[in-house]
Amino acid sequence: MKTVSMFIPCTVDLFLPDIGEATYQLLKRLGVNPVYHEEQTCCGQPAINAGYIKQAKEVAKHFIEVFGEDGAIVSPSGSCVCTVKFHYPELLCDEPAWLARAEDLAGRTYELSQYIVDVLGVSDLGAFYTGKIAYHESCHILRGLGVSEQPKKLITNVKGADFVAMKFSEICCGFGGEFANNYPDISEAMVKEKCENYIQSGADLLLLCEPGCLLNIGGYLSRNHPDKKVMHLAQFLNDAIPFRGKEN
Amino acid sequence: MEIRTEQFVEIAKKELKNARNKQFLSVLPLAITISRPRSMQSFPDPEAANEYGRAVRAEAVAGMPELLEEFEKNALANGAKIVWAKTAEEANAFVLNLAKERGIQYVTKGKSMITEEMGLNDVLQESGIEPFESDLGEFIAQQLHKPPFHIVGPALNIPVEEISDLFIAKADMKEPTTDPVKLGYAARLYLRDKFHHLAMGITGVNMAVAETGSIINVENEGNIRMNKSSPKIQVSIMSLEKVVPTMADAMHMIRLLCRNCTGQKLSAYISIDSGPKKSDEVDGPEELYIIILDNGRSEIYQDIQAREALRCIRCGACLAACPVYCKIGGYPYGWAYSGPMGQVLNPLLLGLEKTQDLYHACTLCGACKSICPAGIDHPKMFLYYRVQEANSDKKAAGGFITNKTAKFFDLWRWGTTRAWRWKMAVKTARPFVNRYAKDGTINKTIKPVEGWFRTRNLPAMARKTFHERWAEINKKVTSDQ
Ligand code: SF4
């Protein structure tokens, strides 16, 4: 059985562990063996974004030590995957031995929907759902990783689901980590528009593949439109696949 | 031009409430999602055309010193006069002295970002020389004493009624109208008269071609051409990075510029000047001055990473692509250059201390980078500035970066490099973070992240983190086997 190493980002670990569990279940149902290194923590993205690269470097090295030998590393967060794939080699560019390890790791790290569709070659998970679904194209997944068709394939293959277009689905929701807190007025205007476009799309469920966007959009909906649902794709799919017994 | 980059948050707050701007800005993203792709499709291979453009800009910037020398040599041979100016003050003083020397009462100007950067209008005005902006949008912005709202359309946001009133008061228009053609005509009549008796016209430069010593201007209104062909003296001002190696390079960049700027294949007017009027020619200025302005760029050039900023061709595409710009418009950026290109350029030209908000007010969404025809990686530039800021945190006054932030990240590093420390930190933080949690949700402000809670809730910190859940999953898996 193929073994894959789960990289569960800190936001999921601390605030959204259901997504982590859904990732685990999904991978298992796809016939791979998901493992989780308990030594993992955070990929270092907050420090990189704040300019504290000295600290980020050490965190990157910790990450590389933890995941260094794995054949495939899969994460339910595109931005964290971008950190590993693109920022680690930049951070470690003046330490050749580490750089080589970082570059090597970069090639083996995948976003979850990308891994399912591109590597496992599965685009229909046999899931069922009745309702209209919209999809938010998270910045780092779309522009960072170039991943867009993969999650949409997984969604359109859900039986009974009606995939609806959402206006400006590819425009940022206004999260941006520190940005959401430091520029609340601008961030609010952005997330408000995102939610309005979601509501206008007529969908009753918004799916996405990025925990950061989920905290932002979900946090705004929970405060302002509590009847509107937003979910991580992994969790949605895991819930929408009928239970076939002998799973844990 | 007054520098207001430090008032970013304040001005942004105000602009967010401006209903009129909002309406205009809400359709701006369509320029990127619809018109730009449509115009790029007219290239046989749009991605190749982009790549070619990016390579031209990278190469031109890398070879800038040599290219400028070549340009100077060829422009001199064409009969132009070359003036090197180290600073904006030097360039302003040159223009002012020249105007005074020739007894000039007023000048007309083609729209140019570089003269905004220099603050040339103020300098001329203070000495009693009236500068008339001849680009319609720039003319409106000038009369209203407003900075450019957008680098390409400086008055895009001004309501037509306001323009009508303005033209009655300032441009000899007789009756109010909201008809854009009539408004354009009124401005034209007013400015034509200025062109008629013009002694000195001032323009910027879109591209300077090293191999031929020519300067090129791209426009849609024809006013720049008037500025260059009506007067005896033409003064064209360029910053160092306008130079490109060959005419073929310039032509390709113009194709990209027009498509990215206005979605046109070609703008209505493109004028190329290779020297002043020759003895056997009937038209053109008798004297052509080309001012090559440094204003900090040769220093930027020394820094290989920062140098990337010099690739910008001022197409303005990144403004429409930017979700932040599309909420707040151009004023909060506080200077000549706005949107992502301003966020990249202003910190280098004005210093990191004065422009902290510019390189922080970004979600790093990468929309700008994905469309930039000059190949600028804006988010990477912002991170570069943030690194420099973090390294100099002891000196920085106020802003986000304080010693507290540095201490936080030291502590965070400690907690993040060992899982046992991570878990311990989680256990300590959880009751504190969750003290207001109700039904798994926190909707009461927690300091120091009050910004987050202004409009959003946060899920409570998990009763069991994934780490803790994994321990259970693992136990189950092992016992099942
Ligand atoms: S940074 Fe790029 S997209 Fe923005 S104005 Fe300059 S060339 Fe155009």
Side-chain angles (χ1 to χ4, degrees):
Chain A
M1 205 196 287
K2 219 185 211 150
T3 292
V4 354
S5 177
M6 292 188 298
F7 155 28
I8 302 298
C10 60
T11 43
V12 173
D13 182 34
L14 304 181
F15 293 98
L16 308 160
D18 286 347
I19 297 172
E21 205 158 329
T23 303
Y24 168 74
Q25 296 291 0
L26 266 186
L27 288 168
K28 271 191 57 145
R29 291 168 132 181
L30 284 160
V32 293
N33 173 33
V35 296
Y36 178 75
H37 301 307
E38 289 190 60
E39 253 313 305
Q40 67 181 279
T41 56
C42 161
C43 65
Q45 191 184 156
I48 295 173
N49 288 355
Y52 285 86
I53 50 168
K54 208 174 75 223
Q55 291 85 340
K57 231 176 176 172
E58 286 186 49
V59 175
K61 286 180 182 171
H62 173 74
F63 187 99
I64 294 171
E65 303 241 271
V66 172
F67 289 94
E69 307 307 319
D70 296 329
I73 298 130
V74 176
S75 178
S77 161
S79 69
C80 300
V81 168
C82 283
T83 300
V84 175
K85 275 178 111 70
F86 308 123
H87 287 294
Y88 282 8
E90 278 171 22
L91 272 178
L92 299 164
C93 66
D94 52 0
E95 296 182 54
W98 281 104
L99 174 62
R101 291 178 75 180
E103 279 175 340
D104 188 42
L105 190 72
R108 290 179 273 127
T109 310
Y110 304 90
E111 185 275 328
L112 179 64
S113 71
Q114 180 187 33
Y115 182 77
I116 294 176
V117 176
D118 295 350
V119 181
L120 298 181
V122 179
S123 52
D124 188 344
L125 292 170
F128 292 89
Y129 178 81
T130 343
K132 288 183 181 164
I133 299 176
Y135 175 68
H136 164 63
E137 309 250 16
S138 296
C139 303
H140 287 89
I141 295 182
L142 175 68
R143 283 176 290 272
L145 298 172
V147 168
S148 170
E149 288 315 308
Q150 298 88 329
K152 287 190 222 161
K153 259 190 203 157
L154 293 172
I155 298 170
T156 44
N157 282 329
V158 173
K159 301 208 176 36
D162 186 2
F163 184 59
V164 299
M166 179 171 78
K167 192 174 156 201
F168 295 143
S169 61
E170 74 291 354
I171 292 184
C172 178
C173 70
F175 176 61
E178 58 168 45
F179 175 87
N181 183 54
N182 291 343
Y183 298 94
D185 299 305
I186 306 173
S187 177
E188 174 182 0
M190 291 164 73
V191 69
K192 181 165 179 261
E193 182 175 338
K194 179 58 69 183
C195 293
E196 281 165 4
N197 284 330
Y198 161 37
I199 293 167
Q200 262 171 31
S201 74
D204 44 45
L205 173 63
L206 178 64
L207 291 181
L208 40 72
C209 299
E210 187 66 64
C213 307
L214 182 64
L215 287 176
N216 186 38
I217 298 174
Y220 184 84
L221 290 174
S222 144
R223 172 86 56 98
N224 300 285
H225 305 277
D227 53 319
K228 284 294 187 182
K229 278 189 297 177
V230 56
M231 252 178 139
H232 192 286
L233 179 65
Q235 206 179 339
F236 164 77
L237 287 173
N238 192 47
D239 291 352
I241 302 173
F243 184 71
R244 291 199 202 95
K246 221 197 157 301
E247 285 174 1
N248 55 61
Chain B
M1 185 177 201
E2 198 193 345
I3 299 168
R4 308 214 294 168
T5 46
E6 283 163 294
Q7 297 164 41
F8 178 89
V9 171
E10 220 173 291
I11 306 176
K13 215 174 197 164
K14 208 170 101 204
E15 291 300 309
L16 279 165
K17 296 197 186 107
N18 184 330
R20 162 82 207 182
N21 287 359
K22 243 191 228 170
Q23 197 189 348
F24 163 71
L25 289 167
S26 69
V27 295
L28 201 54
L30 295 173
I32 296 302
T33 50
I34 297 175
S35 8
R36 182 181 172 275
R38 194 190 293 145
S39 66
M40 288 297 286
Q41 278 313 318
S42 60
F43 280 122
D45 181 340
E47 205 23 60
N50 247 332
E51 282 303 313
Y52 176 18
R54 289 168 178 171
V56 167
R57 286 311 298 154
E59 200 197 31
V61 169
M64 202 170 74
E66 295 77 22
L67 289 174
L68 283 167
E69 279 174 19
E70 188 187 342
F71 171 75
E72 178 186 35
K73 196 180 85 208
N74 291 324
L76 285 171
N78 291 338
K81 292 173 185 152
I82 300 288
V83 181
W84 295 90
K86 185 86 196 137
T87 61
E89 291 72 37
E90 260 180 61
N92 285 332
F94 177 84
V95 179
L96 183 63
N97 288 338
L98 183 68
K100 279 187 176 162
E101 228 170 68
R102 307 295 167 91
I104 280 162
Q105 314 281 318
Y106 74 88
V107 298
T108 60
K109 287 182 65 217
K111 190 180 123 37
S112 90
M113 297 310 298
I114 192 75
T115 58
E116 298 276 354
E117 175 183 329
M118 291 156 57
L120 178 63
N121 285 359
D122 294 341
V123 171
L124 292 173
Q125 232 152 10
E126 278 160 24
S127 297
I129 297 168
E130 198 57 37
F132 289 98
E133 290 292 353
S134 60
D135 171 272
L136 189 51
E138 198 69 45
F139 177 70
I140 296 166
Q142 183 193 23
Q143 300 300 328
L144 290 172
H145 303 290
K146 292 213 165 158
F149 183 78
H150 184 281
I151 61 162
V152 179
L156 276 173
N157 61 321
I158 309 294
V160 66
E161 297 76 18
E162 200 177 324
I163 297 172
S164 170
D165 292 348
L166 181 75
F167 281 11
I168 290 175
K170 302 265 178 82
D172 307 335
M173 195 169 78
K174 300 283 171 297
E175 283 164 22
T177 177
T178 53
D179 178 353
V181 176
K182 284 192 183 142
L183 286 168
Y185 191 65
R188 183 190 178 114
L189 281 182
Y190 180 75
L191 289 167
R192 269 297 149 107
D193 177 58
K194 306 285 178 276
F195 285 134
H196 212 75
H197 307 103
L198 186 63
M200 182 166 150
I202 299 175
T203 75
V205 170
N206 284 103
M207 271 154 231
V209 183
E211 79 175 342
T212 62
S214 318
I215 52 173
I216 306 179
N217 287 91
V218 179
E219 55 163 336
N220 271 318
E221 295 175 22
N223 63 304
I224 296 184
R225 219 178 47 142
M226 297 291 277
N227 274 292
K228 301 204 291 188
S229 56
S230 319
K232 285 209 168 76
I233 308 167
Q234 174 188 341
V235 179
S236 293
I237 308 171
M238 59 180 266
S239 48
L240 303 184
E241 73 272 26
K242 296 290 163 178
V243 73
V244 294
T246 67
M247 193 55 94
D249 293 332
M251 289 303 123
H252 184 66
M253 290 323 294
I254 287 173
R255 288 185 195 108
L256 278 171
L257 174 63
C258 297
R259 283 168 172 84
N260 280 284
C261 185
T262 47
Q264 294 165 289
K265 280 199 232 167
L266 219 52
S267 61
Y269 298 91
I270 288 168
S271 46
I272 306 179
D273 298 58
S274 305
K277 184 169 92 168
K278 309 271 179 322
S279 55
D280 58 341
E281 289 173 348
V282 275
D283 290 317
E286 284 163 18
E287 291 178 273
L288 167 62
Y289 290 90
I290 301 173
I291 303 179
I292 305 178
L293 174 61
D294 183 329
N295 213 24
R297 285 159 175 90
S298 50
E299 210 173 298
I300 296 171
Y301 176 82
Q302 300 302 327
D303 178 337
I304 299 213
Q305 177 62 55
R307 184 189 281 186
E308 191 171 307
L310 298 178
R311 294 182 189 173
C312 173
I313 57 169
R314 317 278 188 270
C315 72
C318 56
L319 278 69
C322 176
V324 171
Y325 178 90
C326 285
K327 285 285 165 255
I328 62 176
Y331 298 148
Y333 301 86
W335 201 42
Y337 307 111
S338 54
M341 54 88 69
Q343 293 171 272
V344 163
L345 269 177
N346 297 352
L348 294 172
L349 294 171
L350 302 172
L352 293 181
E353 298 77 29
K354 275 202 199 107
T355 51
Q356 282 189 315
D357 282 314
L358 300 194
Y359 51 90
H360 280 282
C362 170
T363 64
L364 308 174
C365 82
C368 45
K369 168 192 172 182
S370 73
I371 49 104
C372 177
I376 296 176
D377 186 339
H378 310 70
K380 192 172 176 185
M381 298 294 289
F382 303 149
L383 293 182
Y384 180 63
Y385 302 154
R386 293 180 193 179
V387 169
Q388 292 183 12
E389 185 192 40
N391 288 342
S392 68
D393 54 10
K394 294 198 181 54
K395 280 170 268 152
F400 309 107
I401 301 297
T402 59
N403 286 335
K404 237 161 120 188
T405 325
K407 286 213 183 84
F408 169 80
F409 279 110
D410 280 334
L411 194 67
W412 170 87
R413 178 205 54 77
W414 182 83
T416 306
T417 41
R418 288 290 173 274
W420 67 265
R421 298 196 288 237
W422 177 261
K423 289 180 196 161
M424 191 176 78
V426 168
K427 286 215 173 79
T428 320
R430 189 158 31 201
F432 174 76
V433 173
N434 284 352
R435 68 195 186 280
Y436 300 132
K438 236 180 95 194
D439 305 328
T441 302
I442 308 167
N443 63 12
K444 242 177 120 177
T445 302
I446 302 177
K447 283 186 177 172
V449 287
E450 47 272 65
W452 175 272
F453 288 97
R454 181 137 6 131
T455 44
R456 279 163 290 230
N457 297 335
L458 186 75
M461 247 173 110
R463 227 161 17 90
K464 281 184 190 156
T465 62
F466 188 77
H467 267 108
E468 289 157 343
R469 288 199 195 183
W470 179 258
E472 289 170 16
I473 295 172
N474 215 6
K475 217 188 282 160
K476 195 150 177 252
V477 172
T478 341
S479 68
D480 279 358
Q481 278 163 359

